[in-house]
Amino acid sequence: MTTVSDTVPSEPKAKISTAVRNALAKHGYARLTTAKIAAECDMTEAGLYYHYDSKDAMIVAFLDTATGFLKRELADLDAKDPETRLRQACERLFVTYDDEPRRRVNIAVMELLSHAPYNETLREPLLDLEASNLAVLHDIVATGIDQGVFRDTAPDGVAAFLLAAANGSTGFYLALGMEDAGADLHDAVSAYIDSLVA
Amino acid sequence: MTTVSDTVPSEPKAKISTAVRNALAKHGYARLTTAKIAAECDMTEAGLYYHYDSKDAMIVAFLDTATGFLKRELADLDAKDPETRLRQACERLFVTYDDEPRRRVNIAVMELLSHAPYNETLREPLLDLEASNLAVLHDIVATGIDQGVFRDTAPDGVAAFLLAAANGSTGFYLALGMEDAGADLHDAVSAYIDSLVA
């Protein structure tokens, strides 16, 4: 999948990725058209098809860009100590309802995930995105265990639990607007991280 | 929303709900048609429209039935003691990859959740489903705290954390097939329940 987008120069790729992101946030995947992507940047549909041969290939470019962006953002967290890094990574992965652009993008990514069993083009970049997020969380927890900041626990399990909870909050909290449950979840995740501290 | 389906007699409602469930499991929401729903039961499309005036109203009937079914299933758990009840409820809510029918239904429900911001008809029954699941988990945890089985913690938070993790496993584990992460998650949830025990 990455080979598809890797053949496109970085400037149009970045521009089209941003347009896909904005169009997905506004319309979701089911109603997404290349005309709506073109409307988000100063390009024609023909211009889009010059670089990508399908709407899904444009979405792959967006996912690829988003994975890279999130990976860098999580690598560049301010804190050095693993406990604070884990809290900052969770603040980034657990999107709040008030953050409308990210809320809408996360809902669209959840929609893309639901198409993955039927859509091979989307499956690979979504696997890359989830694997990248798991790896970031794993590395923070593993480093914390090595340094004696966290008690001896399975970093893979903590990473899977936190990522599942972050992704799962997209349904009842971000898509349905159950704000009380969102606040309860935030507190429970914070208490869970407390419980990891040695 | 419930009023829509409540006007339909229980026999056709149950039959159509099962057909919607099977059709969603096979095709997902984006490709669902009333012809595909009709193909899952011995009814014509006209017969479906005699009871429900839209495809989404048929999905509401399915969600309403699923919420009731899951609520009864979780109320009828074998165990009496709260710790075992919580583990059994989680076994029910955390669907495994090998359970193909439930896996496919959960992926379709995730797709419905992604449409909730754009679709008022679907939003209400999805809110009912999530609220019902949260209430079941909350009540088990609250009872366990009252009985001194669980340590003093916030039952709303535990419920939101477990439901978010269960729902979130639908993406990376059920839709993308990341089976290692699914196994890691299972172990982490089990350890989390251990940590709740007084």
Side-chain angles (χ1 to χ4, degrees):
Chain A
M1 288 309 102
T2 39
T3 51
V4 171
S5 29
D6 283 348
T7 61
V8 176
S10 61
E11 200 189 324
K13 182 179 173 184
K15 186 170 156 182
I16 294 169
S17 293
T18 302
V20 169
R21 180 188 160 94
N22 292 340
L24 274 174
K26 273 187 197 163
H27 309 290
Y29 176 56
R31 285 162 303 281
L32 188 70
T33 60
T34 48
K36 287 172 180 168
I37 298 171
E40 294 294 328
C41 53
D42 56 347
M43 290 178 79
T44 61
E45 285 182 78
L48 295 173
Y49 279 110
Y50 174 79
H51 294 293
Y52 297 101
D53 61 8
S54 71
K55 183 178 68 176
D56 282 350
M58 298 170 204
I59 295 175
V60 171
F62 152 68
L63 287 169
D64 192 28
T65 302
T67 300
F69 180 80
L70 194 52
K71 192 184 285 184
R72 282 191 302 280
E73 208 179 29
L74 291 169
D76 291 347
L77 295 171
D78 292 336
K80 288 284 165 278
D81 74 287
E83 183 189 341
T84 312
R85 283 181 78 83
L86 187 58
R87 291 188 198 279
Q88 288 181 346
C90 285
E91 269 172 40
R92 179 58 194 82
L93 291 171
F94 285 79
V95 166
T96 61
Y97 190 85
D98 292 340
D99 186 348
E100 189 177 345
R102 282 184 165 162
R103 165 168 43 105
R104 288 177 161 274
V105 169
N106 276 29
I107 293 167
V109 170
M110 179 169 73
E111 187 178 1
L112 296 176
L113 282 165
S114 74
H115 284 261
Y118 309 97
N119 187 321
E120 283 184 37
T121 306
L122 297 178
R123 198 181 307 146
E124 283 303 316
L126 287 166
L127 274 165
D128 287 347
L129 174 64
E130 300 297 329
S132 173
N133 287 339
L134 280 173
V136 167
L137 292 169
H138 171 279
D139 289 353
I140 296 172
V141 176
T143 302
I145 294 169
D146 281 350
Q147 296 183 0
V149 173
F150 294 133
R151 60 185 169 75
D152 192 18
T153 185
D156 288 317
V158 174
F161 197 10
L162 288 173
L163 186 64
N167 289 355
S169 71
T170 308
F172 65 71
Y173 176 43
L174 301 183
L176 295 176
M178 297 173 75
E179 301 214 38
D180 288 348
D184 293 334
L185 174 62
H186 180 273
D187 293 345
V189 169
S190 180
Y192 179 65
I193 296 176
D194 292 345
S195 80
L196 299 175
V197 175
Chain B
M1 289 308 102
T2 40
T3 52
V4 171
S5 30
D6 282 347
T7 61
V8 176
S10 61
E11 199 189 324
K13 183 181 173 184
K15 186 169 155 183
I16 294 168
S17 293
T18 303
V20 169
R21 181 188 159 93
N22 292 340
L24 275 174
K26 274 187 196 164
H27 310 288
Y29 177 54
R31 285 162 302 280
L32 188 71
T33 60
T34 49
K36 287 173 180 167
I37 297 171
E40 294 294 327
C41 54
D42 56 346
M43 289 177 82
T44 61
E45 285 183 77
L48 294 174
Y49 279 111
Y50 175 79
H51 295 294
Y52 297 101
D53 60 10
S54 70
K55 183 179 68 175
D56 282 350
M58 297 170 205
I59 295 175
V60 171
F62 152 68
L63 287 170
D64 192 27
T65 303
T67 300
F69 180 80
L70 194 52
K71 192 184 284 184
R72 283 191 301 281
E73 207 178 30
L74 291 170
D76 293 346
L77 295 172
D78 293 337
K80 288 284 164 281
D81 75 288
E83 182 189 342
T84 313
R85 282 182 79 81
L86 187 59
R87 292 188 197 278
Q88 289 180 348
C90 285
E91 270 171 39
R92 178 62 193 79
L93 291 171
F94 284 79
V95 167
T96 59
Y97 190 86
D98 292 341
D99 186 348
E100 188 178 346
R102 281 184 165 161
R103 163 166 47 104
R104 288 178 159 273
V105 169
N106 275 30
I107 293 167
V109 170
M110 179 169 73
E111 187 178 1
L112 296 176
L113 282 166
S114 75
H115 284 260
Y118 308 97
N119 186 321
E120 283 184 37
T121 306
L122 297 178
R123 198 182 307 147
E124 282 303 315
L126 287 166
L127 274 166
D128 287 347
L129 174 63
E130 299 297 329
S132 174
N133 287 340
L134 280 174
V136 166
L137 292 170
H138 171 279
D139 289 354
I140 296 172
V141 176
T143 303
I145 294 168
D146 281 351
Q147 295 182 2
V149 173
F150 293 133
R151 62 187 167 74
D152 192 17
T153 184
D156 288 316
V158 174
F161 197 9
L162 288 173
L163 186 64
N167 289 355
S169 71
T170 307
F172 65 72
Y173 175 43
L174 301 183
L176 296 177
M178 297 174 74
E179 300 214 38
D180 288 348
D184 293 334
L185 175 62
H186 181 272
D187 293 346
V189 168
S190 181
Y192 179 65
I193 297 176
D194 292 346
S195 80
L196 299 174
V197 175

